[in-house]
Amino acid sequence: QAQLVESGGGLVQAGGSLRLSCAASGRTLGSVAVGWFRQAPGKEREFVGAINWSAHKTYYADFVKGRFAVSRDNAKNTVYLQMNSLKPEDTAVYYCAAARSGETTAIVQALPANLNWGLGTRVTVSS
C-alpha cells in the first residue's frame, strides 16, 4: 500500500487559510478514495471530508461545509485539503487516509483499521 505523508500544517490566525497536502509514494492513489480526518487535543478523531477516485464526488462533515475543500491531482499522486475561514476550534492534528476502493463511502463507512493512514500534520489556529 502507499505511504502517505501530510504536510502544510502550521500556525495561523483565526480567519486565515491553509492548504494541506497528502502525498503518496510507493503506490498510486489514483484508483482509491481519500479522506481527511482530524483529532483535537483531548478529543476523538473525526471525519472532515473525502474525495472519490476521479475527483467528481466529495463529501464533507457539516462543520466544515463551505469552509474546507478536498481536491486531488492524480498525476502528482497528491490529495489536498484547502481550509479557509479557520477558527480556533479547527486546531487539531490532521490526517489523510486512503480507502481500498474508489468511492467516498469507502472512507465514510470504513473501519479505521481498514484505511491506510498518514502520520498527520498539526494545525494550530490562534484567536
Side-chain angles (χ1 to χ4, degrees):
Q1 58 186 9
Q3 290 185 319
L4 305 181
V5 178
E6 301 92 337
S7 62
L11 175 64
V12 63
Q13 288 188 331
S17 299
L18 282 176
R19 188 177 80 157
L20 306 184
S21 298
C22 172
S25 62
R27 191 169 182 177
T28 180
L29 284 181
S31 62
V32 297
V34 177
W36 286 93
F37 296 76
R38 70 184 187 185
Q39 186 166 18
K43 296 186 177 181
E44 293 189 352
R45 184 170 53 198
E46 61 183 352
F47 169 77
V48 174
I51 189 165
N52 80 329
W53 69 275
S54 66
H56 289 165
K57 294 181 183 178
T58 55
Y59 182 78
Y60 298 97
D62 286 343
F63 61 80
V64 300
K65 284 182 180 177
R67 298 192 300 127
F68 292 8
V70 183
S71 62
R72 68 191 299 160
D73 184 339
N74 286 342
K76 295 183 178 179
N77 222 19
T78 301
V79 175
Y80 305 97
L81 178 65
Q82 178 67 44
M83 305 188 294
N84 300 324
S85 302
L86 283 161
K87 306 174 183 180
E89 51 264 43
D90 294 318
T91 294
V93 177
Y94 284 72
Y95 301 88
C96 64
R100 297 180 179 182
S101 59
E103 296 304 326
T104 54
T105 49
I107 292 288
V108 176
Q109 297 177 1
L111 294 174
N114 290 336
L115 298 176
N116 178 22
W117 295 90
L119 295 180
T121 185
R122 186 175 301 276
V123 171
T124 302
V125 184
S126 63
S127 57

